[in-house]
């Protein structure tokens, strides 16, 4: 497998003011959920421990909403669903590092995410 050069986290939510507002309202009403959002964000803002963890990683981390993904990224998550963490490889492909089930099992923990991602990166490189 090709070496992962970037980690791409894809939220199960749309970006932009309208998308963010729809997610917040839906989340408060218990209608929508995104386990990647739970890992990266507290009530309203990004968790400081997320930023610290991302800075420690050997590759860059990019977080995007589903409507902000590239065609290659969409193709990579189309069969596994969202949220998802992808690895962008040196040859331009994307591999699934953490799927919806794996992210859900982390229960919003940045520490658990870092451990799971570390294991996934070891396998992918």
């Amino acid at each position: 497998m090709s070496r992962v050069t970037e980690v791409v986290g894809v939220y199960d939510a749309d970006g932009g003011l309208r998308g963010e507002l729809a997610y917040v309202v839906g989340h408060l009403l218990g209608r929508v959920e995104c386990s990647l959002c739970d890992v990266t964000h507290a009530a309203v803002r990004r968790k400081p421990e997320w930023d610290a963890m991302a800075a420690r990683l050997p590759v860059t981390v990019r977080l995007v909403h589903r409507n902000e993904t590239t065609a290659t990224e969409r193709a990579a998550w189309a069969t596994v669903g969202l949220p998802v963490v992808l690895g962008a490889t040196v040859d331009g492909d994307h591999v699934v590092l953490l799927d919806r089930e794996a992210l859900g099992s982390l229960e919003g923990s940045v520490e658990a995410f870092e451990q799971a991602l570390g294991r996934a990166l070891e396998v992918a490189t």
Side-chain angles (χ1 to χ4, degrees):
M1 185 174 294
S2 298
R3 189 170 69 83
V4 171
T5 59
E6 179 184 47
V7 170
V8 182
V10 184
Y11 294 119
D12 191 9
D14 286 330
L17 183 58
R18 181 179 224 144
E20 296 281 344
L21 184 58
Y23 178 79
V24 169
V25 171
H27 188 68
L28 290 172
L29 295 174
R31 294 182 183 159
V32 295
E33 180 182 336
C34 173
S35 53
L36 180 59
C37 297
D38 295 342
V39 172
T40 63
H41 285 75
V44 192
R45 51 190 353 226
R46 199 157 63 198
K47 295 177 180 178
E49 58 267 33
W50 169 265
D51 292 330
M53 181 276 308
R56 287 191 298 272
L57 292 176
V59 295
T60 59
V61 177
R62 183 168 51 94
L63 298 170
V64 296
H65 297 89
R66 65 179 163 228
N67 65 326
E68 300 165 338
T69 57
T70 66
T72 306
E73 292 163 350
R74 278 190 300 279
W77 60 258
T79 58
V80 297
L82 294 174
V84 68
V85 176
L86 303 172
T89 64
V90 293
D91 57 6
D93 288 333
H94 288 82
V95 296
V96 175
L97 298 173
L98 300 171
D99 62 13
R100 179 187 342 202
E101 184 178 321
L103 288 166
S105 72
L106 303 175
E107 299 179 353
S109 168
V110 174
E111 181 180 343
F113 177 91
E114 185 173 14
Q115 293 170 1
L117 182 61
R119 288 189 300 271
L121 286 170
E122 285 177 16
V123 171
T125 54

